[in-house]
Amino acid sequence: MAEHTILALLRRSKPIGRVVDDKDYRSVVGAHLSLAIDAPWAIGNLVLGAWSASPWLATLGAYYLLLAVMRALLVFAIRQGDDARTAKTMRACGLLIASLTLVTSGIVVLATTMPGSFAYPDVVIYAVATYAFLSLGTAMAGIASRRRHPNQLMFALSNVNLANALVSILALEVSMMVLFGADEDPSFVTAMTMLTGTMVTAADIAIGTALVRRSKRYAASSRLGNALAASRSCRRSGNDGEIKAHHACSSDHERPKTKPPSTQR
């Protein structure tokens, strides 16, 4: 009862009500908010990394910069709504997701060569773990439900969210190994980090490759659809012209013939 009352109050505002009821609109709003956070965060990490010569900050800055670029491309393409733009954006996002392997490789290298240099505080790590696993579940559900979505950019957005969740899982494991794996054998910690990093890297390559291939199929189907639509339009206009010509000829035959004026007086 209380839930229905809260939803009814939220729906009184049209923008908020649309966010509550429209899943696609909610995803687009989330992409805008994430872009607004990722872009300045990436710039800040890159600047601080260059100023303090910190490879961790530089790696994080590169990661959030890639995320910001992908989300900016998706937001712009969703506003345009053009088939050619959609195919190009899907392909670009696939390539950028595959390039996230550089970031995951950097995280693994830094975690194994500089152990203990990256960790969340004790309380924060539980919030990070909750966010990481919720993001992973939400992204996987989005991919499953949007495979045949009319707007394939929504499917691409779910793929970007999945790649983001996978990197979050990797960063979470690195931090948990620092906090709770102090008593473990260092070789075990290194092996686990490398194993998870390899799995995330392979998943990013698979996601990016699948998205590039889907963009090619989408572009081909769009060109075929446009060609068929143009052919139907030409055929329809040709049939209309034949019908008009037939009506004109019929009217000429049915028009009563008039005798020429007599020249005799």
Side-chain angles (χ1 to χ4, degrees):
M1 187 67 180
E3 180 181 355
H4 292 292
T5 304
I6 294 173
L7 291 177
L9 291 174
L10 292 175
R11 290 190 179 100
R12 289 183 179 180
S13 174
K14 289 184 178 180
I16 299 178
R18 188 179 178 186
V19 170
V20 172
D21 297 327
D22 192 339
K23 180 180 178 181
D24 292 343
Y25 183 72
R26 187 164 60 246
S27 297
V28 173
V29 171
H32 280 81
L33 294 176
S34 298
L35 176 60
I37 296 172
D38 291 342
W41 189 250
I43 295 173
N45 277 284
L46 289 173
V47 171
L48 288 176
W51 180 67
S52 61
S54 171
W56 270 113
L57 291 177
T59 303
L60 290 176
Y63 166 64
Y64 284 107
L65 181 62
L66 289 173
L67 280 182
V69 171
M70 285 188 281
R71 282 173 173 147
L73 290 174
L74 286 168
V75 166
F76 181 74
I78 290 172
R79 289 181 178 180
Q80 295 295 315
D82 180 67
D83 287 339
R85 174 76 62 181
T86 297
K88 291 180 181 179
T89 302
M90 290 174 63
R91 183 176 183 274
C93 287
L95 294 174
L96 289 173
I97 289 174
S99 67
L100 283 176
T101 56
L102 299 175
V103 175
T104 55
S105 299
I107 292 175
V108 171
V109 170
L110 292 174
T112 54
T113 58
M114 302 171 60
S117 59
F118 177 77
Y120 295 108
D122 294 345
V123 178
V124 176
I125 195 169
Y126 296 106
V128 172
T130 303
Y131 167 78
F133 285 105
L134 284 177
S135 299
L136 182 63
T138 303
M140 294 178 68
I143 289 177
S145 62
R146 288 170 173 167
R147 290 184 62 85
R148 301 186 183 278
H149 197 282
N151 187 354
Q152 283 296 288
L153 291 173
M154 304 306 299
F155 178 75
L157 180 59
S158 296
N159 279 267
V160 172
N161 293 336
L162 178 58
N164 180 26
L166 291 174
V167 177
S168 298
I169 293 291
L170 175 59
L172 174 65
E173 183 190 295
V174 171
S175 183
M176 290 182 68
M177 286 295 180
V178 173
L179 288 177
F180 307 115
D183 298 332
E184 298 290 342
D185 185 5
S187 61
F188 171 77
V189 175
T190 301
M192 288 299 298
T193 303
M194 292 182 66
L195 176 61
T196 305
T198 302
M199 293 174 63
V200 172
T201 299
D204 285 339
I205 293 175
I207 294 169
T209 303
L211 200 56
V212 170
R213 295 179 63 183
R214 181 178 283 262
S215 70
K216 292 181 179 179
R217 292 197 299 268
Y218 181 85
S221 63
S222 298
R223 286 194 295 267
L224 179 60
N226 293 334
L228 290 175
S231 177
R232 293 193 193 100
S233 178
C234 292
R235 192 180 301 116
R236 191 179 298 112
S237 61
N239 292 337
D240 292 343
E242 292 177 1
I243 293 172
K244 290 180 181 178
H246 177 72
H247 285 327
C249 292
S250 300
S251 61
D252 289 342
H253 286 297
E254 294 175 359
R255 188 180 297 119
K257 296 182 180 180
T258 57
K259 295 182 178 181
S262 177
T263 58
Q264 298 179 355
R265 293 182 178 179

